[in-house]
Amino acid sequence: MSAVASYEFIAPGRIVFGWGRWGEVAPVAAALGRRAFLIEGSRTLAAGGFIGRLQAALGERGLTSVRLATIAHEPEVPDVDDAVRRVRELGAGAGDLVIGIGGGSAIDLAKAVAALATNATGSSVRDYLEGVGRGLQISVPPLPLIAMPTTAGTGSEATKNAVISSYDPPFKKSLRSDLMMPRAVIVDPQLAVSVPPAVTAQTGMDAITQLIESYISRKARPIPRSLAIDGLRLALGAIEEAVDDGGSRRAREAMAQAALLSGMALANSGLGMAHGVAAALGVHCRTAHGLACALMLPIALRINREVCLPQLAQLAQAAGLAQSEPADVAADLLIARIEAICRRVGVPSRLGALGVTAEQIPALVRDSRGNSMDGNPRTLSDPELTQILEANL
Ligand code: NAD
């Protein structure tokens, strides 16, 4: 049998990474179209003059730009439907592109808008969402998308899905297609300097969760595993500094690279229980995605420890936390390090701190199921998951 199983790997067509390289979006965009729809993830970007400079740079290259939406919360069904209606009214089509500048929320909204601008079969994004929609597929190539992440967390710049929430009825599901992979990514770690410490902590823990879960996932693949090893080493060595000193170039660069690698890893491997439960916490408790992942990661590691000791030991060694210790000792060193980082950057350890109540647990268990949970190394029945959540309330 071959040492490497058969696999596929998908990634953005072009990645431009570097401190201060945001301005290169203009030539990259000029190669993709003549009119850019901007979707922004923070008012800070416009208030600090960044969006104006970006529009000027696009203009110098002969592109017109339209500020389509600013979104500072995780995108909901009406956010997508409203933005799609606007691009259609503006006659979106050949020669147009979308630029998403912000955290995962803005990039996901940009991905959904780019996809639905060209796929007009459904009346709402909901029709296309996994598990809750009408099963409609993205079959026509979306408008070209450039992703410019400003939080170092979700890795959405390198994934092929957009996560869309609804609170009534409650669901948090993905619009997913290989066609939705961004055409180009500009990662300028300098854009994250204005991200506040709590958001830096939570989004950074999201990247760490993605790197670990994709590595131990039952759907893990060879290339993503190599990326996850490198990303985890970088993130574990930089997250505390990024939180303490948001202006640290070294820490922001390391976290931006770790987040990018985490996106490539998750797009080509599975995730696991922390992400499964995080989606349910998002809709039932309105917990920010990164915070939900951060709180769930130590719990998920303890639950999965027995079935993935070798993988956890490999990660511990790669991160320099262990050398030649037995696998169980090395795995525990990794788990202890994660728990220590969580305490240090202000992530609570119990679900009750997020406002979760015992009455919510049945709904959390039900809505934790899906694509992420399917990758969890250990199969968990509903009674088992209920017991785990109750024990960590
Ligand atoms: P976010 O995009 O919601 O941003 C968090 C906060 O940071 C917001 O208030 C935003 O306005 C602010 N912010 C962003 N950039 C800033 C800047 N430069 N300066 C100051 N403030 C800034 O948070 P996120 O964690 O990046 O994204 C979360 C969303 O991404 C969730 O909906 C989650 O489900 C989704 N997600 C998607 C994928 C994917 O592959 N598509 C993967 C993981 C998570």
Side-chain angles (χ1 to χ4, degrees):
M1 202 168 74
S2 155
V4 179
S6 84
Y7 65 86
E8 291 186 27
F9 184 79
I10 180 168
R14 183 172 180 187
I15 296 172
V16 177
F17 185 100
W19 189 264
R21 293 189 70 181
W22 68 265
E24 291 175 49
V25 67
V28 171
L32 294 173
R34 310 307 300 157
R35 177 171 64 162
F37 297 113
L38 307 186
I39 296 186
E40 302 155 37
S42 166
R43 285 177 226 297
T44 309
L45 295 166
F50 172 72
I51 297 298
R53 292 200 297 279
L54 180 73
Q55 288 188 289
L58 291 170
E60 282 167 22
R61 286 275 173 166
L63 278 88
T64 55
S65 54
V66 179
R67 294 181 65 192
L68 196 73
T70 300
I71 182 156
H73 58 265
E74 300 187 2
E76 298 168 40
V77 169
D79 295 318
V80 180
D81 291 347
D82 289 349
V84 170
R85 196 173 307 116
R86 260 200 84 201
V87 286
R88 288 194 185 146
E89 283 166 6
L90 291 165
D96 290 329
L97 67 140
V98 178
I99 304 179
I101 318 148
S105 297
I107 294 175
D108 281 3
L109 179 60
K111 277 182 182 169
V113 169
L116 296 183
T118 57
N119 288 266
T121 315
S123 59
S124 163
V125 65
R126 182 179 172 159
D127 295 332
Y128 296 82
L129 294 180
E130 290 175 345
V132 293
R134 289 164 49 205
L136 296 185
Q137 303 293 320
I138 300 300
S139 53
V140 178
L143 296 181
L145 172 69
I146 301 177
M148 298 180 70
T150 64
T151 61
T154 70
S156 176
E157 64 272 19
T159 71
K160 56 192 174 186
N161 64 305
V163 184
I164 309 300
S165 295
S166 162
Y167 299 104
D168 186 18
F171 60 77
K172 188 168 184 181
K173 294 289 178 188
S174 276
L175 174 67
R176 192 185 309 269
S177 164
D178 285 359
L179 298 171
M180 287 169 58
M181 182 61 77
R183 289 281 286 280
V185 176
I186 314 278
V187 187
D188 182 344
Q190 201 173 15
L191 298 182
V193 163
S194 55
V195 175
V199 177
T200 300
Q202 294 167 11
T203 52
M205 285 307 301
D206 183 16
I208 288 173
T209 307
Q210 290 174 172
L211 292 161
I212 296 179
E213 287 206 304
S214 67
Y215 191 87
I216 65 175
S217 167
R218 62 173 67 191
K219 300 184 205 167
R221 296 287 180 271
I223 293 177
R225 273 200 158 148
S226 303
L227 301 177
I229 288 260
D230 203 36
L232 189 65
R233 182 182 55 74
L234 284 168
L236 292 184
I239 184 167
E240 289 145 302
E241 186 179 333
V243 173
D244 291 346
D245 176 10
S248 163
R249 176 170 173 171
R250 187 200 79 83
R252 290 295 190 190
E253 285 174 342
M255 292 308 297
Q257 173 76 352
L260 173 67
L261 295 177
S262 82
M264 287 198 264
L266 88 88
N268 294 281
S269 285
L271 285 169
M273 175 193 153
H275 270 82
V277 176
L281 288 169
V283 288
H284 291 289
C285 308
R286 300 214 179 207
T287 311
H289 177 75
L291 177 59
C293 289
L295 189 148
M296 286 307 301
L297 179 59
I299 300 170
L301 290 177
R302 289 195 295 271
I303 294 303
N304 284 304
R305 178 184 176 282
E306 294 310 318
V307 298
C308 50
L309 276 178
Q311 292 89 333
L312 292 176
Q314 287 155 12
L315 288 173
Q317 281 162 2
L321 301 170
Q323 274 117 38
S324 53
E325 292 86 343
D328 57 343
V329 176
D332 286 342
L333 287 169
L334 177 70
I335 296 171
R337 176 81 177 107
I338 297 297
E339 286 174 332
I341 292 175
C342 283
R343 295 302 81 76
R344 170 83 162 63
V345 302
V347 176
S349 60
R350 305 201 70 84
L351 289 163
L354 305 179
V356 178
T357 62
E359 293 69 41
Q360 288 176 306
I361 288 184
L364 289 175
V365 170
R366 183 193 64 221
D367 292 330
S368 294
R369 302 288 171 196
N371 199 51
S372 293
M373 189 63 103
D374 289 347
N376 197 57
R378 192 177 135 191
T379 304
L380 296 170
S381 66
D382 282 356
E384 284 172 318
L385 187 54
T386 301
Q387 194 264 323
I388 292 164
L389 298 184
E390 283 174 352
N392 288 282
L393 197 57

